[in-house]
């Protein structure tokens, strides 16, 4: 039953990850023909069982049932503020607005050479992605050679029509085992523009990292599920930031993620099974 609810995005508290040891995934059921298990008596007690409560992780759906879920999990509180300090702003991605000279028979530099020459001595590299080169000619001509160069280090990664230097944002995301906190930052000023927090949706696979790692060991698709559910959460965060602040997701150029070792493995879709046993190697 727990797996069925989860498959339909109905998440219930399950700190043990469905091992039948915590007794938290209780739901009230009518129509259940099977008698309670001894473990349910031990974890829930006779009074709860008499009211129709059963553990979702220990019961199978063999007939039509009516399921009632108590909304008693309470509000998740995530710490999103701390002591701030002044820092020098030096983002990895930078923007520069340039007005290029138009080509003619006396100036036949390629579009890329023309851009690199306008980089104000930053020593821009011509190690440029092919996808970027496919668009450069049309962008330059449609914008009358007035463009914004986007660079990562010394590498040109984008050319945008017009002056977009005011739109340079980044996000920082703290992936905790229990809660997630995210921040939208203006990379030109360093100002924090927005804050987002929520519970970590991976909790349906267990409240702690060991339960979640065990789930990835015992279920073939679990690692992919854990990665997809956290990426979906981050995308929802970004969607909230863009709507609240009137920006496009394309205006977000940098993202930084922090978390414990297991959380970062799950974000990247890497197996974490060796972290759970000696000598605990990531």
């Amino acid at each position: 039953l727990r797996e069925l609810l989860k498959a339909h995005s109905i998440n219930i508290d399950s700190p043990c990850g469905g091992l039948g040891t915590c007794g938290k995934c209780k739901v009230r059921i009518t129509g259940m023909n099977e008698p309670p298990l001894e473990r349910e008596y031990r974890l829930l007690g006779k009074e709860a069982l008499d009211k129709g409560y059963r553990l979702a992780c220990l019961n199978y759906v063999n007939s039509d049932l009516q399921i009632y879920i108590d909304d008693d999990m309470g509000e998740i509180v995530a710490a999103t503020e701390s002591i701030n300090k002044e820092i020098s702003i030096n983002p990895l991605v930078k923007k520069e607005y340039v007005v290029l000279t138009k080509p003619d028979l006396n100036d036949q530099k390629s579009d890329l050479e023309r851009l690199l020459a306008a980089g104000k001595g930053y020593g821009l590299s011509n190690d440029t992605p092919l996808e970027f080169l496919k668009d450069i000619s049309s962008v330059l001509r449609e914008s009358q050679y007035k463009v914004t160069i986007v660079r990562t280090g010394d590498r040109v990664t984008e050319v945008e029509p017009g002056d977009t230097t005011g739109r340079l944002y980044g996000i920082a995301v703290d992936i905790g085992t229990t809660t997630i906190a995210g921040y939208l930052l203006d990379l030109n000023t360093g100002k924090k523009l927005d804050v987002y927090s929520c519970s970590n949706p991976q909790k349906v696979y267990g409240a702690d990292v060991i339960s979640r790692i065990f789930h990835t060991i015992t279920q073939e698709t679990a690692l992919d599920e854990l990665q997809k559910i956290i990426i979906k959460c981050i995308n929802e965060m970004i969607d909230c930031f863009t709507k609240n602040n009137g920006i496009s997701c394309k205006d977000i150029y940098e993202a930084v993620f922090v978390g414990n070792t297991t959380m970062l493995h799950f974000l990247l879709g890497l197996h974490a099974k060796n972290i759970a046993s000696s000598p605990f190697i990531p």
Side-chain angles (χ1 to χ4, degrees):
L1 175 58
R2 174 181 171 272
E3 292 299 318
L4 180 65
L5 293 172
K6 188 171 65 176
H8 288 80
S9 300
I10 302 171
N11 297 323
I12 56 176
D13 202 9
S14 185
C16 72
L19 298 179
T21 59
C22 68
K24 298 294 185 182
C25 65
K26 64 177 184 178
V27 293
R28 191 160 53 87
I29 303 175
T30 60
M32 176 68 73
N33 297 322
E34 298 294 327
L37 300 172
E38 176 61 31
R39 194 183 304 181
E40 290 182 289
Y41 275 104
R42 187 169 67 253
L43 292 171
L44 296 179
K46 187 176 183 304
E47 183 178 351
L49 290 171
D50 289 343
K51 293 179 180 178
Y53 285 99
R54 304 292 293 271
L55 292 180
C57 70
L58 295 179
N59 286 281
Y60 293 87
V61 180
N62 298 316
S63 60
D64 290 341
L65 304 175
Q66 288 184 307
I67 312 295
Y68 303 90
I69 299 172
D70 294 339
D71 186 17
D72 60 354
M73 294 180 63
E75 183 180 357
I76 296 293
V77 178
T80 57
E81 295 293 337
S82 63
I83 297 173
N84 293 314
K85 64 178 181 179
E86 293 295 325
I87 61 169
S88 299
I89 306 303
N90 186 27
L92 179 66
V93 179
K94 293 181 173 66
K95 284 186 170 186
E96 177 194 356
Y97 175 63
V98 294
V99 179
L100 305 177
T101 57
K102 296 181 179 180
D104 55 36
L105 292 177
N106 296 315
D107 181 6
Q108 294 182 306
K109 290 192 293 290
S110 71
D111 292 333
L112 180 58
E113 288 175 318
R114 194 172 302 278
L115 269 174
L116 298 180
K120 291 185 178 178
Y122 287 119
L124 297 177
S125 169
N126 61 4
D127 179 20
T128 309
L130 179 60
E131 290 303 315
F132 163 81
L133 290 175
K134 290 179 179 179
D135 298 328
I136 184 174
S137 294
S138 58
V139 171
L140 290 179
R141 285 154 184 80
E142 290 170 6
S143 63
Q144 297 296 304
Y145 291 86
K146 299 177 182 179
V147 295
T148 297
I149 298 174
V150 183
R151 61 186 178 90
T152 303
D154 64 351
R155 189 181 190 189
V156 178
T157 51
E158 192 73 55
V159 173
E160 300 171 345
D163 185 356
T164 66
T165 54
R167 303 201 305 270
L168 184 62
Y169 303 98
I171 62 170
V173 183
D174 180 1
I175 304 175
T177 307
T178 306
T179 59
I180 294 174
Y183 308 85
L184 176 68
L185 300 159
D186 185 328
L187 297 184
N188 284 315
T189 65
K191 182 180 178 182
K192 181 171 63 181
L193 302 176
D194 209 346
V195 179
Y196 180 100
S197 65
C198 64
S199 62
N200 188 328
Q202 293 173 336
K203 66 183 182 181
V204 299
Y205 300 96
D208 57 85
V209 293
I210 298 300
S211 297
R212 295 177 201 175
I213 292 174
F214 182 78
H215 183 62
T216 66
I217 295 172
T218 57
Q219 301 292 327
E220 185 177 349
T221 62
L223 184 61
D224 185 52
E225 292 170 0
L226 283 163
Q227 184 188 35
K228 284 181 177 179
I229 198 172
I230 198 66
I231 289 175
K232 180 175 182 289
C233 177
I234 292 167
N235 283 334
E236 289 171 352
M237 175 188 299
I238 293 172
D239 187 50
C240 184
F241 283 154
T242 57
K243 289 179 179 178
N244 288 348
N245 297 274
I247 65 174
S248 167
C249 62
K250 293 182 179 180
D251 297 330
I252 299 174
Y253 292 84
E254 288 192 53
V256 175
F257 300 93
V258 299
N260 66 47
T261 307
T262 303
M263 292 299 100
L264 294 180
H265 275 60
F266 290 159
L267 173 66
L268 297 173
L270 301 176
H271 274 293
K273 58 185 179 182
N274 294 320
I275 299 174
S277 58
S278 179
F280 317 110
I281 305 300

